[in-house]
Amino acid sequence: MKTKYRKKKGMQYIRMDARNMDFKDNTFDVIVDKGLTDCLLCGEEGEDDISNSMGEVSRVLKPGGAYFCCSFGDPETREDYFESKSFGWTLEKPISVSKPSISSGKLEQQSNEFHWCYIAKKSV
């Protein structure tokens, strides 16, 4: 990614463990998670890893900020990980988005497969 987007001004690519970030508290207005939650939950210590990473997301998210997660996991398998009162945020109702597929070079919507979008807003 760093090489691909090297000409984009103002972007930084930093490698870091999401379970123990080096950022100061209340650093970001918005945090986007596209696949991290799903990856962590596939690991041997997935539940501990996701708990630690969500704690870190909450810590570095500014009051009034938003956390956005796009996941393959439906609400039944994901919401519990986002709902701890210690995170200090309110979880919005998840939104399902049909996964597109490309068939014969044509973009089509698959009605039976979804990505799920979760948005949590941190209290001020």
Side-chain angles (χ1 to χ4, degrees), residues 49-110:
D49 290 342
I50 196 67
S51 178
N52 290 337
S53 70
M54 289 297 99
E56 283 293 278
V57 166
S58 174
R59 182 184 67 77
V60 301
L61 188 63
K62 289 180 182 178
Y67 165 66
F68 173 82
C69 175
C70 182
S71 173
F72 292 116
D74 62 32
E76 190 174 295
T77 64
R78 293 294 184 267
E79 279 186 319
D80 287 348
Y81 298 113
F82 303 132
E83 290 186 324
S84 174
K85 291 187 188 293
S86 67
F87 298 151
W89 61 41
T90 303
L91 186 64
E92 305 278 318
K93 182 179 178 186
I95 301 165
S96 62
V97 178
S98 294
K99 285 175 52 177
S101 67
I102 297 179
S103 175
S104 302
K106 185 178 180 183
L107 185 64
E108 299 173 359
Q109 294 296 321
Q110 294 181 357

Side-chain angles (χ1 to χ4, degrees), residues 9-43:
K9 300 292 181 204
M11 295 182 76
Q12 293 182 359
Y13 291 90
I14 303 167
R15 184 172 41 183
M16 190 178 305
D17 186 340
R19 300 164 302 177
N20 185 20
M21 293 189 250
D22 295 332
F23 299 115
K24 294 179 183 177
D25 294 0
N26 306 317
T27 299
F28 299 102
D29 294 307
V30 176
I31 296 174
V32 177
D33 168 356
K34 174 58 176 90
L36 176 66
T37 294
D38 295 333
C39 284
L40 290 175
L41 287 171
C42 289

